[in-house]
Amino acid sequence: MAEVALTNARLIIIGGSSGSLEALLQMLPLLKTSFPLPVVLVLHRGTLADNSLTELLASRTTLQVKEADDKDLLEPGCIYIAPPDYHVLLEQDGSLSLDVSEKINFSRPSIDVSFISAAEVYGDGLIAVLLSGANADGALGMLMVAQKGGFVLVQDPATAAVAYMPEKAIQQSPVDRVLEPIAIAALLNKVRKRNR
Amino acid sequence: MLGYDDTELLIEKINQWYGYDFSGYARASLRRRIEGFFLKNKFSSYSSMELSLAQDPACFTRFVEEITVNVTEMFRDPGFYRALREKILPVLATYPFIRIWHAGCSTGEEVYSMAILLSEASLLHKSILYATDVNQAVLEKARTGIFAGASMQQYSENYMLSGGQKDFSSYYTANYNSAKFAPWLGERIIFSSHNLVADSSFNEFQLILCRNVLIYFDKQLQVKVLQLFDKSLDSLGFLALGSKESIRFSGIADRYRQVDPKEKIWRKSR
């Protein structure tokens, strides 16, 4: 499996839909202050612009939290939230691009779109986490992450407010770990950054 | 997906064959769109796709149409349109004549939204809206003023959130699955072809709108296009971008002041 990504990591990407906020609110306070990697967060959310999600998450972590702007250069220890009504794509130069093309799985942002894009760029330097949700978005993305050598981490459906999304991913993709939110955070804290 | 090196080669060849330069397009989106084109057209291999592109100009036309993103809606980001109504139109109203450029107008939904705003401010009669896009097919569609009927409920909600007070359905005639907007709304709109990558400035404007187009370009091309807008704006003109786009790092930022703390609208100061 893709254990290599745990000591070779360059990016963490997390996807979720209904119920994922509860999991994140458990996980984020546990992430260590000196977190060595950028984190991209793709959550299904309403289309209207509003800062409450960013503010809520920022209140639970010592890491910096921001809604992604186009061409942001990803910095370690910063959490980038996909803005409402945009897909997030990853570029080879370590920046991100936004995109308003068609919804995928009825979703924009789509988890599949971001995970597939991240897998293309980061390969075995990617750790992908899929949380609670009521939509199959993310399952194909997890498969692509696994195929490119990335590490695939899924919230234990038994601990998810809505089990459908993690269950779909477990059915459709090889999975490295199935864990409850607190254990996901503990594992992310052990991840080591690639030395270049 | 087409590999990174092969993508660069294809970009070079397309430029040689058709003089069409995709080198400033952000790669993540471009490669995803090329993959979409490849799958949709059921090519047996990337080399057969390349052969078709080389030999068949109609295939290349389809390529341009499918590579460029044409998703748009009326009154997208209602707060933005509210800011236009409340902060920008009162300034434009003081001018004898108003020239507006919608760069990358796609199928025209935002241009029609603007025409509605101008009409409600009694400014449409002294305005001209230049709406341009690189994609001929979307311009053809935009000229019809016909949009999907299924979207009207969403657009009507957006319209009201933007401060619209009329009955939104009074602007169009519903017909089966489509809504045809009143011809008088389109009378001040000129749709024409313009390529932001290659074409130059063609007029001076009081307001330029280019929302969610720059996101498909890399930083270098973004700077080039922003400089084109700078050159095309009157000395006190307004520039409006998408909600996650910016003029920072463009070299023009020091001449512009953001008009609204939330919305991406700047005014040129000199």
Side-chain angles (χ1 to χ4, degrees):
Chain A
M1 298 298 268
E3 305 291 326
V4 58
L6 293 176
T7 53
N8 184 43
R10 295 168 60 211
L11 180 73
I12 301 208
I13 191 161
I14 301 174
S17 187
S18 5
S20 63
L21 192 57
E22 297 158 36
L24 282 167
L25 294 178
Q26 290 181 58
M27 289 163 55
L28 290 187
L30 302 175
L31 292 182
K32 59 186 181 189
T33 305
S34 58
F35 202 77
L37 297 166
V39 179
V40 172
L41 194 52
V42 185
L43 302 182
H44 294 165
R45 54 193 293 196
T47 60
L48 291 182
D50 110 62
N51 291 325
S52 54
L53 178 64
T54 307
E55 283 164 14
L56 174 62
L57 295 179
S59 72
R60 301 300 178 95
T61 172
T62 55
L63 306 189
Q64 196 191 336
V65 181
K66 83 176 290 258
E67 196 169 271
D69 281 305
D70 183 52
K71 303 298 177 294
D72 271 346
L73 200 58
L74 300 175
E75 301 282 352
C78 184
I79 300 173
Y80 299 85
I81 304 178
D85 225 9
Y86 287 90
H87 295 305
V88 173
L89 301 169
L90 286 306
E91 300 285 354
Q92 266 190 310
D93 67 359
S95 67
L96 59 79
S97 286
L98 300 179
D99 174 307
V100 289
S101 60
E102 296 78 1
K103 290 183 179 180
I104 301 291
N105 304 319
F106 312 103
S107 307
R108 188 172 55 224
S110 151
I111 301 167
D112 276 346
V113 167
S114 293
F115 279 25
I116 292 168
S117 174
E120 279 281 323
V121 173
Y122 289 90
D124 64 4
L126 180 67
I127 295 170
V129 182
L130 193 66
L131 303 173
S132 170
N135 177 311
D137 195 21
L140 179 62
M142 286 304 237
L143 179 62
M144 295 302 290
V145 172
Q147 284 178 357
K148 295 282 181 180
F151 191 87
V152 172
L153 194 49
V154 178
Q155 181 179 0
D156 183 349
T159 69
V162 186
Y164 188 81
M165 184 177 273
E167 274 172 355
K168 272 285 164 192
I170 292 167
Q171 284 166 18
Q172 293 184 16
S173 166
V175 167
D176 292 288
R177 296 277 198 292
V178 177
L179 297 172
E180 61 170 323
I182 290 171
I184 293 174
L187 184 64
L188 293 181
N189 276 334
K190 287 187 205 147
V191 167
R192 293 217 309 274
K193 187 180 179 172
R194 176 183 295 184
N195 292 313
R196 272 180 296 178
Chain B
M1 264 190 222
L2 188 61
Y4 285 101
D5 291 347
D6 289 338
T7 304
E8 299 310 310
L9 284 174
L10 183 63
I11 290 171
E12 251 172 62
K13 287 176 184 166
I14 284 174
N15 201 356
Q16 283 168 17
W17 299 331
Y18 295 102
Y20 206 110
D21 185 7
F22 282 104
S23 66
Y25 278 60
R27 291 298 186 270
S29 160
L30 179 64
R31 293 180 64 234
R32 181 169 173 261
R33 303 296 287 187
I34 291 174
E35 184 68 11
F37 176 77
F38 172 78
L39 294 173
K40 186 173 171 187
N41 289 276
K42 301 191 169 63
F43 292 108
S44 57
S45 65
Y46 290 120
S47 51
S48 82
M49 174 177 78
E50 187 178 313
L51 198 64
S52 295
L53 286 170
Q55 294 177 341
D56 179 5
C59 177
F60 177 68
T61 302
R62 282 204 312 281
F63 180 81
V64 174
E65 288 167 9
E66 287 171 32
I67 290 305
T68 51
V69 172
N70 295 298
V71 176
T72 177
E73 60 183 76
M74 294 188 78
F75 296 97
R76 181 186 163 114
D77 305 326
F80 169 79
Y81 284 91
R82 185 178 277 277
L84 283 182
R85 270 184 208 279
E86 294 173 357
K87 299 191 171 168
I88 310 303
L89 293 195
V91 178
L92 297 184
T94 64
Y95 299 143
F97 195 74
I98 303 168
R99 279 184 306 272
I100 297 172
W101 180 15
H102 282 262
C105 68
S106 188
T107 41
E109 280 82 344
E110 295 207 353
V111 194
Y112 273 83
S113 306
M114 189 62 167
I116 288 172
L117 288 193
L118 289 166
S119 147
E120 294 184 357
S122 305
L123 299 173
L124 188 57
H125 66 282
K126 64 168 183 174
S127 304
I128 292 233
L129 298 94
Y130 294 84
T132 66
D133 203 281
V134 66
N135 178 342
Q136 295 285 356
V138 294
L139 289 171
E140 280 307 311
K141 189 159 183 293
R143 285 189 187 104
T144 65
I146 298 173
F147 303 126
S151 306
M152 288 305 132
Q153 192 187 342
Q154 172 72 48
Y155 295 172
S156 175
E157 285 167 23
N158 287 356
Y159 165 79
M160 285 187 286
L161 286 170
S162 80
Q165 293 180 350
K166 297 203 174 174
D167 176 1
F168 187 64
S169 65
S170 66
Y171 288 111
Y172 61 85
T173 312
N175 196 354
Y176 299 102
N177 299 322
S178 65
K180 181 168 176 43
F181 278 72
W184 61 264
L185 269 176
E187 269 173 12
R188 311 296 296 173
I189 306 175
I190 297 171
F191 288 102
S192 71
S193 168
H194 183 277
N195 182 353
L196 289 169
V197 176
D199 295 338
S200 51
S201 174
F202 59 95
N203 211 327
E204 286 224 327
F205 302 93
Q206 282 83 44
L207 169 61
I208 298 177
L209 302 101
C210 182
R211 303 178 69 227
N212 298 318
V213 176
L214 295 181
I215 51 178
Y216 302 109
F217 298 161
D218 66 19
K219 271 187 176 165
Q220 204 182 341
L221 181 56
Q222 288 184 353
V223 168
K224 188 181 153 195
V225 173
L226 285 168
Q227 286 171 349
L228 169 68
F229 292 156
D230 183 45
K231 229 165 74 182
S232 311
L233 266 183
D234 263 5
S235 55
L236 290 170
F238 296 95
L239 174 64
L241 301 180
S243 61
K244 309 307 287 180
E245 295 168 330
S246 170
I247 61 170
R248 64 185 172 158
F249 315 128
S250 64
I252 68 166
D254 58 344
R255 289 196 292 284
Y256 286 76
R257 183 177 56 79
Q258 197 161 343
V259 175
D260 183 286
K262 270 178 146 175
E263 304 303 333
K264 295 297 178 72
I265 307 172
W266 291 265
R267 188 170 197 188
K268 194 174 174 177
S269 60
R270 59 185 152 93

